[in-house]
Amino acid sequence: MNICKKFIFIFLIFLTLGVFAQQNLSVPLNDNVYFLLENASLRGILPTLPAAKPYTLSFVLDNLNTILSSDKLSEAEKEIIIKSYDRLAQNTPQKWYETGYYTNKFDENVKLPIMVGFTWTSAASINCNDPDFSYEHWIDGYIKGDISKYFSYNFNLGGSLMDLSKKSYAPNTYLKTWDGYQFVIENIYTHDNIVEVLSGGLRMLPELAFSAFDNKIGVNFSRISHSWGYGEGNLALSETSRPFMAIETWLYPTKWINLNFITGTLEFESKTGLKEEAKSFQTMYSALNGQINITDYVYIGATGSVLWPKRIELAYMNPLMLPFLSQSLVGDFDNVQLGLYTGFTIPSIMNIYASIFIDEVNVTVSDFFNKDRNMYAVQIGAKSPLPFWTSIFSFQYTKIEPYMYSHPLTDVPWYDKPMDTTYLNHGQPLGYFLNPNSDEFKIQFESNPLWYLSANLKYTLVRHGTTKGSGKVDGSSFDNPLIYQPPEGEDKDKYELNNAQEGGLYWKDFLHDGVYEWINSISLSGELDCKKWDIPITVGLTYTFSYTHHTLGTKDSIKNINNAEYQNKAGNYLTLSIKVY
């Protein structure tokens, strides 16, 4: 074989292998198996699981085996666990899949497993009160497999047709599904915001994964979503954030110590043009998570993270170096954060958890809780396993302070224009999905009564400072960052951070400093797996009723308002999804 043929052969082998993943690949965060693991942990069948997700497939399968060995399961629950295990382990062949082995004809003893397949997903949403219809159709193909028990990989590519409008979705519910841009079919121009005409989209979630010593150590080079914490949406790194290309490592030397580190490249949101906007958003992200499980059911942990303009910065690439300390060592050009979380479980009764995520605070100032310069987010919650079906009842409160997750442009010596280090990825927060200056009460009931049926009933109340009109509240959007240095010619006292005065700029008083929208929502959703009848389709349906009213707050009072500028409104929203796999 000549050199050219050898090169082509080696390239094809690499392409085929370097794109498949199984035992060491991550299980997507939207998989129902995470609910089953959480339910088992709440009941004391499993100990506290690592806060950093996603988990590898082998880790998930090992824990499902542990659950099956418990005597606390009913026969119906055993069936749910067995079906989930079979589905994830691919023990049940799907007619939509082609599986087999690639044999190297130069060494017939080397057989490399390959799985080829695709999924088709369609979803449609409508606001019945203000008729507005949206739909998405996605086809996602993949090739994946294992090389030995240590290394796996997955190549995938998806394409779509969509026609979207944010008015079709209940407030604070829509999440982007595409990467990069939408391609408008009419004239093939691109746009990163939701385009309300027929458009196309692409997405990729490639993954190269290594793990060893029963998942005690691992490295993942991928573009996937992450979730660090125990809440429904987390403050430091949430499952609602867009995926980004990163290298993640983890080290679990004992069952009571978990260490995770991630460093990657964030993606900017284009609104007017590609290269000009990208010049200001050349942002890297690094985060460290350390967790100590004091007992099987008591834990405490901390996260440290940093957004930094691209450069060779070894301080932010070392998994054992604290980012907030590195910032002072390499110059104050980066945006650092610090998080703390803790919780405990009373088996079969309740798990109580709490976390705080800090961007910047000055603990020496007076009126600490009224100064905008103190930017942080807090979350507390409780979850209880219910004694019927496979169910969890939960309550959660989340508060996002003004200006949180936002950041002004920063001058750095190695770029010729100010750089953006806002805590965003592709226009969505890396942390909790709400806008700054918001809080949320959430009550939720989740159930998986049958292996082929799951249901969710949820109520939320979101209160948020309005961003427009005569009563708008500063610090209530990502486009309104706190200004550290007063603009030239402006009154310096107005922009004073540490000595902000009541009623002035950079003084906050939640609900009492302007107009706030109160968004009440109740939703009921369910998903049916038609594999019960040997049909490889899942069907999901969600109904949401939402009602928004406004209040005008002053120092002494809060009163309801409803006028031409701030109108009350109601919405009835339906979303139907179908997935063929």
Side-chain angles (χ1 to χ4, degrees):
M1 180 181 292
N2 61 37
I3 293 177
C4 183
K5 288 183 177 179
K6 285 182 179 179
F7 175 79
I8 294 174
F9 176 77
I10 293 171
F11 174 78
L12 290 175
I13 290 288
F14 175 78
L15 182 63
T16 304
L17 300 182
V19 290
F20 166 169
Q22 190 131 338
Q23 293 295 319
N24 305 290
L25 288 184
S26 61
V27 177
L29 291 173
N30 60 0
D31 196 291
N32 186 60
V33 74
Y34 288 100
F35 170 77
L36 300 178
L37 296 178
E38 182 177 37
N39 181 269
S41 182
L42 290 172
R43 293 165 63 179
I45 299 172
L46 295 175
T48 297
L49 296 170
K53 298 181 283 290
Y55 304 142
T56 65
L57 176 58
S58 58
F59 180 85
V60 168
L61 295 179
D62 287 345
N63 279 280
L64 290 178
N65 273 326
T66 300
I67 298 172
L68 280 173
S69 66
S70 171
D71 58 3
K72 296 183 179 181
L73 299 183
S74 66
E75 291 302 316
E77 289 175 325
K78 286 182 180 179
E79 184 180 22
I80 292 172
I81 300 301
I82 290 171
K83 290 292 186 179
S84 293
Y85 187 99
D86 288 345
R87 172 178 59 84
L88 292 169
Q90 302 295 341
N91 288 338
T92 305
Q94 307 286 340
K95 65 180 181 180
W96 295 98
Y97 294 123
E98 292 182 16
T99 60
Y101 289 91
Y102 178 90
T103 303
N104 181 347
K105 67 180 181 179
F106 299 103
D107 185 353
E108 295 184 356
N109 293 320
V110 177
K111 293 187 176 182
L112 304 172
I114 295 176
M115 179 178 288
V116 180
F118 72 91
T119 61
W120 170 30
T121 306
S122 292
S125 297
I126 187 171
N127 178 356
C128 301
N129 292 62
D130 182 11
D132 210 348
F133 184 72
S134 292
Y135 63 83
E136 295 182 72
H137 304 293
W138 282 94
I139 294 180
D140 296 276
Y142 57 83
I143 307 171
K144 58 184 179 180
D146 289 325
I147 295 184
S148 82
K149 65 179 182 179
Y150 303 110
F151 186 62
S152 307
Y153 31 90
N154 180 4
F155 171 80
N156 51 74
L157 178 64
S160 73
L161 284 177
M162 62 184 80
D163 192 344
L164 304 175
S165 169
K166 278 191 174 180
K167 292 189 293 184
S168 303
Y169 302 90
N172 301 312
T173 61
Y174 183 76
L175 298 172
K176 293 179 182 178
T177 57
W178 68 90
D179 296 333
Y181 314 96
Q182 289 174 280
F183 301 89
V184 176
I185 302 302
E186 283 181 351
N187 52 13
I188 315 298
Y189 75 86
T190 64
H191 202 288
D192 207 41
N193 292 321
I194 290 181
V195 180
E196 298 187 13
V197 294
L198 183 63
S199 306
L202 295 173
R203 63 186 179 197
M204 289 187 71
L205 299 170
E207 189 171 0
L208 301 172
F210 165 86
S211 66
F213 304 108
D214 296 324
N215 282 292
K216 287 183 172 61
I217 186 172
V219 180
N220 189 305
F221 183 25
S222 62
R223 186 182 179 278
I224 58 177
S225 295
H226 297 83
S227 176
W228 284 13
Y230 293 98
E232 298 296 320
N234 297 296
L235 303 179
L237 191 54
S238 175
E239 64 270 22
T240 58
S241 63
R242 291 294 300 156
F244 57 93
M245 188 63 69
I247 296 178
E248 180 184 13
T249 61
W250 65 89
L251 178 64
Y252 301 159
T254 71
K255 71 175 185 178
W256 54 277
I257 294 180
N258 299 329
L259 296 173
N260 297 81
F261 176 78
I262 189 170
T263 189
T265 304
L266 299 185
E267 301 165 4
F268 76 101
E269 181 182 39
S270 175
K271 296 178 181 178
T272 59
L274 178 61
K275 290 188 177 181
E276 284 304 312
E277 288 181 283
K279 285 182 180 179
S280 291
F281 197 90
Q282 294 293 307
T283 310
M284 299 290 291
Y285 174 76
S286 295
L288 174 66
N289 173 72
Q291 177 182 341
I292 297 177
N293 299 318
I294 299 172
T295 71
D296 280 349
Y297 305 111
V298 180
Y299 60 86
I300 185 170
T303 61
S305 54
V306 57
L307 294 100
W308 44 291
K310 291 177 183 175
R311 65 201 192 253
I312 301 300
E313 189 54 74
L314 297 181
Y316 297 140
M317 299 179 189
N318 188 320
L320 302 180
M321 185 69 180
L322 297 175
F324 75 88
L325 179 59
S326 300
Q327 183 198 39
S328 63
L329 298 178
V330 300
D332 188 9
F333 300 111
D334 311 304
N335 182 12
V336 300
Q337 303 81 32
L338 179 66
L340 299 170
Y341 61 91
T342 187
F344 64 91
T345 299
I346 305 172
S348 298
I349 303 297
M350 183 179 294
N351 168 253
I352 297 175
Y353 58 91
S355 60
I356 182 170
F357 188 64
I358 300 168
D359 192 338
E360 182 172 329
V361 296
N362 183 347
V363 296
T364 66
V365 300
S366 60
D367 299 308
F368 177 91
F369 297 104
N370 292 110
K371 300 292 175 65
D372 280 336
R373 62 115 51 283
N374 296 319
M375 295 174 284
Y376 58 90
V378 294
Q379 185 177 84
I380 58 173
K383 298 183 180 184
S384 293
L386 299 182
F388 51 88
W389 303 326
T390 304
S391 307
I392 297 176
F393 177 80
S394 60
F395 168 81
Q396 180 173 282
Y397 176 75
T398 306
K399 178 71 164 68
I400 312 296
E401 291 294 305
Y403 298 102
M404 185 64 189
Y405 296 134
S406 67
H407 199 273
L409 298 178
T410 303
D411 288 319
V412 293
W414 48 91
Y415 285 97
D416 61 359
K417 63 187 307 180
M419 302 306 294
D420 188 352
T421 54
T422 304
Y423 207 76
L424 300 178
N425 179 45
H426 201 185
Q428 293 181 183
L430 286 164
Y432 206 71
F433 188 55
L434 292 180
N435 285 301
N437 198 25
S438 300
D439 75 349
E440 178 189 60
F441 296 88
K442 179 185 293 183
I443 301 173
Q444 184 170 243
F445 169 73
E446 301 169 274
S447 182
N448 197 166
L450 302 167
W451 69 264
Y452 53 88
L453 179 65
S454 60
N456 183 302
L457 176 63
K458 177 171 60 178
Y459 166 77
T460 61
L461 167 61
V462 173
R463 303 181 295 183
H464 171 238
T466 187
T467 59
K468 59 184 178 180
S470 59
K472 68 179 181 180
V473 186
D474 288 330
S476 299
S477 75
F478 302 112
D479 296 328
N480 176 213
L482 186 146
I483 300 174
Y484 293 92
Q485 299 296 329
E488 188 174 346
E490 289 280 353
D491 182 3
K492 292 185 178 181
D493 291 337
K494 176 183 177 181
Y495 290 89
E496 175 58 48
L497 300 181
N498 294 316
N499 296 312
Q501 300 299 309
E502 183 175 350
L505 187 63
Y506 299 153
W507 178 275
K508 58 186 175 183
D509 191 359
F510 191 65
L511 301 180
H512 291 271
D513 52 2
V515 174
Y516 282 75
E517 54 182 358
W518 297 52
I519 307 169
N520 290 271
S521 301
I522 185 167
S523 65
L524 176 63
S525 62
E527 186 173 86
L528 179 67
D529 190 344
C530 297
K531 189 177 166 185
K532 161 72 174 174
W533 301 278
D534 295 324
I535 303 173
I537 293 176
T538 59
V539 180
L541 181 64
T542 300
Y543 165 73
T544 301
F545 172 74
S546 178
Y547 180 75
T548 301
H549 73 280
H550 298 83
T551 61
L552 173 61
T554 62
K555 176 184 176 182
D556 301 316
S557 67
I558 298 176
K559 63 179 182 180
N560 291 319
I561 59 172
N562 184 19
N563 52 41
E565 191 175 23
Y566 300 108
Q567 294 183 359
N568 298 343
K569 61 180 179 180
N572 288 272
Y573 304 88
L574 281 173
T575 298
L576 173 67
S577 63
I578 299 174
K579 182 175 182 178
V580 181
Y581 57 92

